[in-house]
Amino acid sequence: MIKNYFKIAWRNLKKSKAHSIINIAGLSIGISVVILISLWLFDELSFNKNFKNYDRIGRVLQHVTNNNEVQTWGNVPYPLANELRQGYGSNFKQIVMASGWNDHMLAYENKKLTKGGIYLEKGGADLFSLNMIRGGLNGLDEPSSIFLSASTAKAYFGDEDPINKMMKIDNELNAKVTGVYKDFPHNSEFSELAFIAPWDLLYNNTDWIKTMDDPWRPNAFQLFVLLNENTDFKTASLKIKDAKLKRVNDQLKKKKPELFIHQMSQWHLYSEFKNGKNVGGAIQYVWMFGIIGVFVLLLACINFMNLSTARSEKRAKEVGIRKTVGSLRKQLIAQFFSESLLTVFIAFTISLLLVQLVLPYFNEISNKQMSILWANPLFWMAAVFFILFTGLAAGSYPAFYLSSFRPVKVLKGTFKAGRAASLPRKVLVVLQFTVSVTLIIGTIVVYQQIQFAKN
């Protein structure tokens, strides 16, 4: 029976070629846009999930009061790492001090390139789950060593083995290459991290760190932590809240420094703070594009419904004859749903081809490295759900509306759609134009704002 439904559905599509092409083309474009938005959302929501202990890694930040305004700083003073180890060590599995992330002149022989890098304390390589291609994680135990990302090693050494080669950082520090790690994914905070050097290399060659009059005063470093499995971020933040306040001088105490741990899962999407409160960040764009995706899919479904019901009078005689020879209404509903699902399946297949063609340009615009997740079972599960949902949603009104025709009136030629039947279509058309105009106005406003900022 189901096979027969789809056979008839295919025949109806072939019979009305112009209508089918318009319907499938509209759905294909709409679904393509939704797939592109979905890939972007997936990329944003999976930021930093490449780290092994993603859900337990955090960065120590501080709220500081300046001129009656609470500011949030990402850097902390140098002695804080030892303070947390000695006074709050039971809450943390690892505590790793790091330099600020800066650009450095990295040189090998006559080749000099500017690359972004950081200095990490011991354990940092393990904390950030470095995937070593050459060398081991303990390579940074040597004070004058350096790890290179795979792309950086390729830029300097080509296919040659870089291990034990001597490089120079900022024309001052000599470092031996002891490891090469796989580049971090593009949707990672560390995607452009070209090299990692040991903290001791910076400390041993930087006099101002060792000779600071008040080491609790300069906020020049980053501090990363890995929580113990029995500790949560809220509890750990409350415990270390006053760890800096207890150590600073009376003048700095007036700024009321308050420490807290910003968990890695929020680094990208919830990175903005205002007056000591987290006010979101990139999550706002995730919601915005998610809503736009829903609206675009809604437009495609409404367009499908309108085109299907517009042919109601042509299908009325078919419905009348089918009912006369004994077809039940539920069978007619199943028939129309099968046509809808077949149309959506064809449109989805075409949309995958369109996305594959457009994706390189979309990646360039959005500064991403996305691809269709062909090998991911979740992608195909989502695709099946998407086809079923869209097919049933788009085909619901035509199925229930067309199957409700009375055969006597249809075959006598006295059938008229009537005002009540046309009202839903009018509502759908108004809704379709409302959403379209809203999206167009939003696009124009954003474009004008960008032009204003540029000029």
Side-chain angles (χ1 to χ4, degrees):
M1 180 65 73
I2 295 176
K3 184 179 178 181
N4 188 52
Y5 286 151
F6 283 101
K7 270 189 178 181
I8 296 171
W10 177 248
R11 288 173 186 169
N12 283 328
L13 288 177
K14 290 172 65 178
K15 183 179 178 182
S16 307
K17 289 185 176 65
H19 175 269
S20 299
I21 290 172
I22 293 172
N23 222 346
I24 291 172
L27 267 177
S28 298
I29 294 171
I31 293 173
S32 298
V33 173
V34 173
I35 291 175
L36 287 172
I37 291 175
S38 299
L39 289 174
W40 185 86
L41 293 177
F42 179 81
D43 189 84
E44 288 290 297
L45 294 172
S46 59
F47 234 84
N48 291 326
K49 286 189 176 180
N50 59 288
F51 294 101
K52 183 173 61 178
N53 297 305
Y54 159 82
D55 56 340
R56 293 192 291 124
I57 294 175
R59 182 183 175 193
V60 178
L61 307 183
Q62 58 178 320
H63 296 312
V64 179
T65 304
N66 273 327
N67 300 321
N68 295 320
E69 178 189 359
V70 180
Q71 301 173 350
T72 302
W73 296 353
N75 290 340
V76 295
Y78 167 67
L80 185 59
N82 282 332
E83 179 69 18
L84 294 188
R85 291 188 187 104
Q86 294 170 6
Y88 309 88
S90 59
N91 298 293
F92 305 106
K93 188 173 182 179
Q94 277 185 282
I95 297 172
V96 176
M97 179 66 74
S99 67
W101 185 328
N102 298 307
D103 286 337
H104 300 269
M105 179 65 72
L106 194 61
Y108 172 69
E109 295 181 346
N110 294 325
K111 182 174 284 187
K112 296 181 179 181
L113 300 173
T114 301
K115 296 290 183 179
I118 59 173
Y119 295 88
L120 278 178
E121 282 187 317
K122 288 182 181 179
D126 182 58
L127 176 68
F128 292 120
S129 312
L130 291 187
N131 188 352
M132 302 303 295
I133 299 173
R134 295 178 185 273
L137 291 176
N138 59 354
L140 289 181
D141 290 349
E142 296 183 35
S144 297
S145 58
I146 188 172
F147 279 180
L148 303 179
S149 68
S151 59
T152 303
K154 183 78 173 178
Y156 282 94
F157 303 100
D159 296 328
E160 188 181 352
D161 186 359
I163 298 298
N164 294 327
K165 297 290 175 59
M166 296 300 298
M167 303 191 75
K168 184 163 282 192
I169 305 173
D170 295 327
N171 294 320
E172 294 179 354
L173 307 179
N174 293 311
K176 181 174 69 174
V177 179
T178 57
V180 177
Y181 59 89
K182 185 178 179 181
D183 286 65
F184 288 99
H186 196 260
N187 60 341
S188 167
E189 298 290 333
F190 301 92
S191 60
E192 296 182 5
L193 187 63
F195 74 88
I196 299 173
W199 173 264
D200 288 343
L201 180 62
L202 176 68
Y203 182 82
N204 294 335
N205 293 277
T206 308
D207 291 337
W208 72 267
I209 297 178
K210 294 178 283 188
T211 59
M212 286 185 287
D213 294 333
D214 184 357
W216 283 95
R217 189 176 186 88
N219 297 278
F221 307 98
Q222 300 181 88
L223 187 57
F224 300 100
V225 297
L226 175 64
L227 297 189
N228 282 324
E229 294 181 0
N230 58 349
T231 305
D232 59 80
F233 285 99
K234 186 176 180 181
T235 301
S237 293
L238 286 173
K239 288 184 177 180
I240 69 168
K241 177 182 173 183
D242 297 325
K244 179 184 175 184
L245 183 65
K246 295 174 182 177
R247 296 293 184 178
V248 296
N249 58 42
D250 292 338
Q251 182 182 1
L252 293 179
K253 283 182 179 178
K254 296 177 181 178
K255 295 183 180 290
K256 303 175 184 176
E258 181 182 312
L259 302 176
F260 70 99
I261 303 171
H262 193 211
Q263 60 195 80
M264 180 177 274
S265 59
Q266 295 187 346
W267 287 2
H268 180 66
L269 297 179
Y270 298 89
S271 59
E272 293 182 13
F273 292 86
K274 187 175 182 180
N275 205 27
K277 302 293 182 183
N278 192 300
V279 293
I283 189 64
Q284 297 167 350
Y285 297 103
V286 169
W287 279 107
M288 182 179 71
F289 280 104
I291 292 170
I292 289 174
V294 171
F295 280 150
V296 170
L297 182 60
L298 180 64
L299 286 176
C301 290
I302 290 174
N303 191 58
F304 179 88
M305 292 180 191
N306 287 338
L307 287 171
S308 298
T309 52
R311 297 179 65 242
S312 58
E313 291 186 11
K314 291 185 178 181
R315 301 293 298 272
K317 191 173 290 186
E318 176 192 337
V319 172
I321 293 172
R322 285 179 179 276
K323 283 193 171 183
T324 301
V325 297
S327 289
L328 301 174
R329 189 184 180 192
K330 65 179 182 180
Q331 292 174 319
L332 291 171
I333 290 173
Q335 174 61 50
F336 288 120
F337 270 132
S338 66
E339 290 183 20
S340 173
L341 287 169
L342 180 60
T343 303
V344 173
F345 175 76
I346 295 171
F348 183 81
T349 304
I350 295 173
S351 69
L352 288 178
L353 297 175
L354 290 174
V355 169
Q356 190 68 26
L357 291 173
V358 173
L359 201 52
Y361 305 100
F362 185 66
N363 279 334
E364 188 175 345
I365 293 171
S366 60
N367 192 28
K368 298 282 188 184
Q369 291 182 358
M370 299 177 294
S371 60
I372 298 177
L373 310 172
W374 300 110
N376 192 333
L378 290 176
F379 171 77
W380 294 110
M381 290 172 62
V384 171
F385 173 79
F386 184 82
I387 291 170
L388 289 174
F389 173 79
T390 307
L392 296 176
S396 57
Y397 177 56
F400 290 109
Y401 172 61
L402 294 175
S403 64
S404 66
F405 293 165
R406 293 187 178 182
V408 175
K409 287 187 176 183
V410 171
L411 296 177
K412 278 185 176 181
T414 58
F415 167 76
K416 290 184 180 179
R419 184 178 177 183
S422 63
L423 182 61
R425 253 174 59 203
K426 291 179 179 178
V427 172
L428 289 175
V429 170
V430 171
L431 180 60
Q432 188 178 23
F433 274 95
T434 301
V435 173
S436 300
V437 171
T438 302
L439 290 175
I440 291 169
I441 291 173
T443 303
I444 292 172
V445 170
V446 171
Y447 175 78
Q448 289 178 336
Q449 289 295 315
I450 291 173
Q451 292 303 309
F452 176 77
K454 286 170 64 178
N455 299 324

